[in-house]
Structure formats: C-alpha cells, structure tokens
Amino acid sequence: MMIPTLLLAACTATNVEGFAYSPLSLRPIVAGGPEATSTSIHMGKRKPSMKERRRQRAKKLPSATVDRGILNELPSVDTWEKTDASVGSKRESIPTSEVAEEDNAAITDEETSIDEETEETFAKASSLVQAQRKSVDCLTHVRKRVEESFPINEAAKGLAEKGYFVYDGFLSKAVDGDSENEDAALGDEMVSEMLSESSSMLANDKMQRDITRIADGEFVAQIVGGENYVLCPRITEYVVSITRHLPPLLNKEYDVIGAGDLPKLDSAASMGSLRLYDRKTKLGTLSFLANPEDAASDDSVSERPFGVVCGDSDGTENDSRRLTAMLYLSSKEWDSSNGGGLTMETDGQKVEAIRDRIVLLRSDVCSHRHEPWLGSDDSGLDQASCAIVHFIQG
C-alpha cells in the first residue's frame, strides 16, 4: 500500500505548480524545487491558527506608537457624553457657558410668556365671575325689594281707586336692620349705574332722538337684552326681575281687595324702554328753532297734552299694555326746579322726577302729562333718565 502514495507524491512534486502554506509566509512553490516535498504540501493544507494569523498581520502592518499621555487624560467610559449633533443638524462650536446662558434665557422668556398668558386668562375668568355675581346680586335685590319692601297692598288699592301709585326709594330706601341697610347701599349703587349706562348709550349713539319732541332734548331706546345686554346690564336686570316678580303679587292682591275690573298681568313678558334727557342737546336745538335771545331759555317749550299710554280709546283694544312702571334715574341733587315728572289729569297731582322714585299707572285709563325736563348747567344736573316697563295683559 505504500507504493501508490509515493507515486502520488512524486507526480505532484514534479508536474504541479502550487502554493505551500506556512504560518509565517505565503509564497509560490515551483515544481521540482527543493521545497516541493510531500511534507511541505501536506503542511500547506493545514489551516493556520488565530494566533498565527495575528502574527502575520502584525508583520505586514507598519509599527505605530501610542501616546499614553493622551489616553490618560481621557475620562472613563462611564462619563463620556455625546457632544456632536447628528448629520444635518450640527451647531457651531459654542462655549458651554454661552449655550447655558442662551438656554436659560429661552426658558425664562418662555416661562414669562406662559405667566403672562396665565395671568391674562385668570384676569378674564375673574372678571367674568365678578360680572355674573354682580348680575345675580342685582336680580336678587330687585326681587327682595318687590317681595319684602314694596307696599303691594297700598299699590293695588291706589291703582284701583286713582289709577296710579307713587313710591319713593324703590331700590335704595333704608329700612330697619343692618342687612336691609346693606341692601339699600346696593340699591343706591344700582341706581347710579343705571344712570351711567343711560349716559353711555347716548355717548355711543345707541339711543334715537325723539322726533315727536324735537325741541325737548329727549332720546329713547328699547331694552331688549340679548346681544344688547352689555350696553345696559343693570337696566336690563331691573326690567327682567321686576317683570318676573311684581305681576304675580299684584294679581294676587287684586283678588284680595276685590278689584275684579283690574286686568291680570303676565309675569313672563313685558316691554322695556329707556328715556333720557340731555340739556346740551335741548339748548342746541333751541338755538336753531327759537330767536337768538331765547336760545338759552326753557320758556319756549310748549305745554304737552294729557293722554294715556295706550293712546286714544279706539286703540286700547289693540294694545296689550295694562300697567306702566316708571323709575326715575337722576342725581341726588335733582329737585322740582329741574323739571321732569308727571301731572295727573284726574286730580291734578304733580309727581316730580326724584331719584329712585317709581310710579305705577294704569296704561289704558290713567290720563297724565309728561312735564318737560329742565336741568341746569351744574355738574350732574345736565342729564336725567327714566326706565320704563310696560306690563302686558296676561
């Protein structure tokens, strides 16, 4: 069996060129050369170990020295941090302190902006809550005045006997008791706000000139609520609350006193309006309509006729208004010398336009006359107004 092996080795050594592998080198072996032995061919087929491969690579690569000083200055692996941004978003190299200052400034600006927005939102919410609370207080105050302070029995009797009833201090009259005096202060403030709202509506062109009394300097506006609530919130609240609470009490009292001929009133609907007098407008109109020497005089105003709210008797059936409430709004200094008010035709009674005075009169039968407003050039006496509520038949 040894003969075939020797023959194969001899043929390979004499006729085949190949490569002999060595752990230390890789070089061609020429057939017939001294290294082309069976032993070298057999060794060339062995796969070098990992250690031998590393030695081969080390011989081929140039030697390099490593500066250990640099390595010693590097931080440990667990303290490394990423300092370079990703590709496409690299920032210029900026000192760490400057970056920190910029970041802190940006955070401060953002926090300031958030604080301002928060304060603004809080202020709006607080204002809304206060406005709602004020509205509830005014609605409640009118209800309490109607139910607790207003002499409903006397009012019903006056309407049944004379066709009208007059009551002073409807919203601001002080009565016994500390809580009632606080309510009186709230009512007085409410009257002042209602007068202020009247002046504001005139200044903002929210009232129309009464052309039927062109020389009297009077303006009118309807109180409708809704989107117009913001124009006169206190006046609107007054109209709503008195409409809701006064008619039921009067209806009940009519039955008590046996006034069956008095119509029952609706507590769910009414007609509200506002009438304002402006002295400057009146004098300006008179300067065009009267003689120059009479321009600053109130004597040129003609006397007004008597009549009922519903008009003449022929129009009464087509008019649902049955009771009218007039609340006079003026300064505390307003007196009889400043004009305004009513005169009743039946008994000649004069009713002056005193602050916070309410007049109830039967819209269909009580004949009366509106007296012209006069006022004066003194502060607070150049304007006055009247909040009017027409209660309709139920």
Side-chain angles (χ1 to χ4, degrees):
M1 296 298 296
M2 295 296 294
I3 296 174
T5 305
L6 295 175
L7 292 174
L8 178 61
C11 294
T12 304
T14 56
N15 298 322
V16 180
E17 292 184 1
F19 287 89
Y21 293 89
S22 171
L24 300 179
S25 63
L26 180 64
R27 57 185 182 274
I29 302 298
V30 180
E35 296 180 348
T37 64
S38 61
T39 304
S40 64
I41 295 174
H42 178 72
M43 294 299 294
K45 294 181 180 180
R46 185 177 61 87
K47 185 177 180 180
S49 65
M50 184 63 68
K51 184 176 180 181
E52 292 172 341
R53 291 180 182 180
R54 283 198 297 267
R55 288 179 180 178
Q56 292 177 5
R57 285 197 296 269
K59 289 182 178 181
K60 293 179 180 180
L61 294 175
S63 60
T65 58
V66 179
D67 188 354
R68 301 302 301 179
I70 297 178
L71 297 177
N72 293 334
E73 293 178 1
L74 292 176
S76 58
V77 176
D78 58 350
T79 62
W80 288 0
E81 295 181 357
K82 181 177 178 181
T83 57
D84 290 339
S86 59
V87 178
S89 61
K90 289 188 176 181
R91 298 173 55 182
E92 295 182 358
S93 177
I94 302 176
T96 305
S97 60
E98 295 183 10
V99 173
E101 291 179 0
E102 292 179 1
D103 292 342
N104 291 336
I107 294 174
T108 302
D109 293 341
E110 183 177 358
E111 291 177 348
T112 302
S113 177
I114 294 175
D115 291 341
E116 291 177 354
E117 293 179 359
T118 302
E119 291 179 0
E120 183 179 357
T121 302
F122 180 80
K124 290 181 179 180
S126 177
S127 177
L128 179 60
V129 170
Q130 292 178 1
Q132 292 176 339
R133 185 176 301 167
K134 181 69 172 180
S135 176
V136 172
D137 290 343
C138 291
L139 291 168
T140 303
H141 179 73
V142 176
R143 177 189 62 78
K144 292 175 63 177
R145 285 287 162 164
V146 171
E147 296 178 349
E148 301 175 7
S149 303
F150 187 71
I152 196 68
N153 180 265
E154 296 179 17
K157 289 181 179 179
L159 293 171
E161 297 171 1
K162 300 184 298 182
Y164 68 91
F165 177 73
V166 180
Y167 180 72
D168 293 339
F170 176 64
L171 295 176
S172 61
K173 185 177 182 178
V175 295
D176 296 336
D178 293 337
S179 61
E180 286 79 2
N181 289 331
E182 293 178 1
D183 290 342
L186 174 61
D188 186 68
E189 180 183 356
M190 186 175 177
V191 173
S192 297
E193 291 184 16
M194 293 169 72
L195 177 60
S196 177
E197 290 173 357
S198 304
S199 301
S200 178
M201 290 180 65
L202 176 63
N204 291 287
D205 297 328
K206 301 301 181 180
M207 303 190 73
Q208 298 179 348
R209 186 74 175 270
D210 186 357
I211 59 175
T212 63
R213 303 173 182 176
I214 191 66
D216 294 349
E218 295 185 19
F219 297 81
V220 294
Q222 300 298 317
I223 307 301
V224 296
E227 295 179 354
N228 293 327
Y229 168 80
V230 295
L231 301 176
C232 50
R234 302 292 87 83
I235 297 176
T236 304
E237 291 154 4
Y238 162 76
V239 172
V240 169
S241 191
I242 197 173
T243 301
R244 176 66 181 86
H245 301 291
L246 184 59
L249 295 179
L250 282 176
N251 292 338
K252 182 179 180 179
E253 200 64 29
Y254 289 161
D255 295 334
V256 172
I257 65 176
D261 60 328
L262 295 179
K264 296 299 178 64
L265 305 174
D266 190 347
S267 62
S270 67
M271 303 177 187
S273 63
L274 180 67
R275 181 172 291 273
L276 178 137
Y277 164 73
D278 182 65
R279 178 175 172 79
K280 293 181 180 179
T281 301
K282 176 181 178 179
L283 297 180
T285 303
L286 291 177
S287 65
F288 289 100
L289 301 180
N291 295 325
E293 56 271 15
D294 298 331
S297 174
D298 295 315
D299 298 335
S300 59
V301 178
S302 60
E303 190 177 76
R304 300 173 181 177
F306 287 98
V308 295
V309 173
C310 294
D312 54 32
S313 58
D314 294 336
T316 302
E317 295 180 357
N318 298 323
D319 196 326
S320 60
R321 292 176 293 179
R322 290 297 178 264
L323 181 68
T324 299
M326 300 180 184
L327 180 66
Y328 289 102
L329 309 170
S330 60
S331 66
K332 296 180 180 180
E333 292 75 22
W334 194 280
D335 55 23
S336 59
S337 65
N338 299 120
L342 304 171
T343 298
M344 305 301 175
E345 185 177 19
T346 54
D347 56 7
Q349 179 69 36
K350 292 186 178 295
V351 181
E352 299 173 358
I354 297 176
R355 175 187 173 91
D356 198 21
R357 168 175 283 179
I358 190 170
V359 180
L360 301 181
L361 54 87
R362 295 178 61 182
S363 308
D364 53 343
V365 298
C366 183
S367 181
H368 61 282
R369 178 178 67 198
H370 289 273
E371 299 300 333
W373 304 84
L374 301 176
S376 72
D377 295 329
D378 296 336
S379 177
L381 298 177
D382 58 339
Q383 286 185 347
S385 60
C386 180
I388 304 171
V389 180
H390 300 288
F391 302 96
I392 63 177
Q393 187 170 0

